[in-house]
Amino acid sequence: MSNAETRPDLEVLESGQPCTAVQRLEPRLVPLGGPRTMTVYRTLPQRRRSLVGAWCFLDHYGPDDVSASGGMLVPRHPHTGLATVSWLFTGRVEHLDSGGNTASIVPGALNLMIAGRGITHQEISHSGTSTLHGVQLWYALPDATRFAGNAFAHYVPEPVTLSGVTARVFIGELLGSVSPVETLTPDLLGAELLIEPGCSARLTVRADFEHAVLAESGEVTVNSVAVDHRSLAYIPAGAETVVITAGDAPTRVLLLGGVPLGEQIVMWWNFVGRDHDEIVEYRRRYQAELGFDTADPRDAGKPALFGTFPPGHPRPLPAPPLPKSRLLPRE
């Protein structure tokens, strides 16, 4: 997945003024799962924009009737060079990874898994879940930390309230709330905001961040620009204020932000690397370590990347074939 467009120029703003250069990014529908698929709405990455800060992936799903779709059934699969951020609004998902971490993903609680140089995990809806609703996010690890060991964190942020707005800051800092979660990617922001009908959240933000607002539950206005339900509003770096206004109903939004990564990445399937050859090696080693292919002599003596898994779980996913052309970096 490469981005053929160049990054647009950043708007220079007067201090304290909300940025009006809002880019609206519409989702595309992606089926997730087996024969009965759950549809997710993907706003990152896409051709118009690959990254917001280090955030490189945003899937929004639900409310999903598990009895009709079968829910979330994502068997064991790999990741490299990124971290996954799971945030639920309704339901429960069970997480297991090759770092030995098991956790329930529940509403209002952050589950963050840092892949580092390599990890495998699975995510499966709990049997008692009837409705599933949430987001799955990834951010790319910078070159300085992308070969670190894997890690896992669980955090329940305390809500912050102001007139007509309740916020839960799960990564970074906003409205005086600071998440203690170590991300290995400096200068990130992730928060959920609940906005009462007709109310506005006027947020003081870091001017060196670029930001994105997901209209999670309905249409909102972001810096005077209407943003459709499930769409993403992108605000370039330079803004010190973001104003999000609800319509006639209670509205939930997701606010993401970060300093532009400033590094080219190659992102294919579940791998993040820096060039085509890295992705080829990740795929080759995953296929061999999981028993899909014979080990390649080039990898003799290299430590395993993707860890072990306890028995009794669904069969892992094989990697899809690589494209015939070389993967190109994007930023």
Side-chain angles (χ1 to χ4, degrees), residues 31-214:
L32 181 72
R36 293 185 300 163
T37 58
M38 182 176 75
T39 299
V40 300
Y41 299 81
R42 184 166 297 167
T43 46
L44 284 178
Q46 57 175 272
R47 186 172 295 276
R48 295 178 64 197
R49 180 152 300 279
S50 299
L51 297 160
V52 177
W55 298 102
C56 61
F57 184 90
L58 196 169
D59 271 359
H60 176 213
Y61 53 88
D64 180 74
D65 181 358
V66 170
S67 65
S69 71
M72 184 178 293
L73 176 56
V74 184
R76 184 184 180 190
H77 60 281
H79 289 294
T80 61
L82 59 86
T84 66
V85 172
S86 300
W87 185 259
L88 273 182
F89 309 124
T90 308
R92 177 176 164 185
V93 174
E94 301 303 326
H95 166 98
L96 171 65
D97 66 49
S98 57
N101 302 294
T102 60
S104 293
I105 304 170
V106 295
L110 168 73
N111 282 264
L112 181 145
M113 183 187 74
I114 295 176
R117 59 182 172 269
I119 199 169
T120 54
H121 76 136
Q122 68 179 26
E123 290 184 316
I124 299 174
S125 335
H126 185 267
S127 58
T129 292
S130 58
T131 302
L132 201 58
H133 184 193
V135 292
Q136 180 69 54
L137 309 163
W138 302 350
Y139 62 82
L141 295 171
D143 198 56
T145 61
R146 67 190 183 100
F147 295 117
N150 49 62
F152 186 85
H154 177 87
Y155 172 59
V156 181
E158 289 291 331
V160 177
T161 59
L162 56 157
S163 180
V165 180
T166 300
R168 289 174 172 83
V169 182
F170 49 85
I171 286 178
E173 180 177 359
L174 185 73
L175 297 171
S177 178
V178 181
S179 169
V181 174
E182 174 57 59
T183 62
L184 297 187
T185 299
D187 303 317
L188 279 179
L189 171 64
E192 174 193 293
L193 285 81
L194 303 175
I195 308 175
E196 295 178 9
C199 292
S200 294
R202 186 177 182 92
L203 307 170
T204 299
V205 296
R206 284 180 49 172
D208 58 340
F209 275 26
E210 46 190 2
H211 291 88
V213 178
L214 175 69

Side-chain angles (χ1 to χ4, degrees), residues 78-82 115-119 270-273 279 282 305-306:
H79 289 294
T80 61
L82 59 86
R117 59 182 172 269
I119 199 169
N270 295 299
F271 303 125
V272 170
I279 299 298
Y282 291 147
L305 288 179
F306 299 107

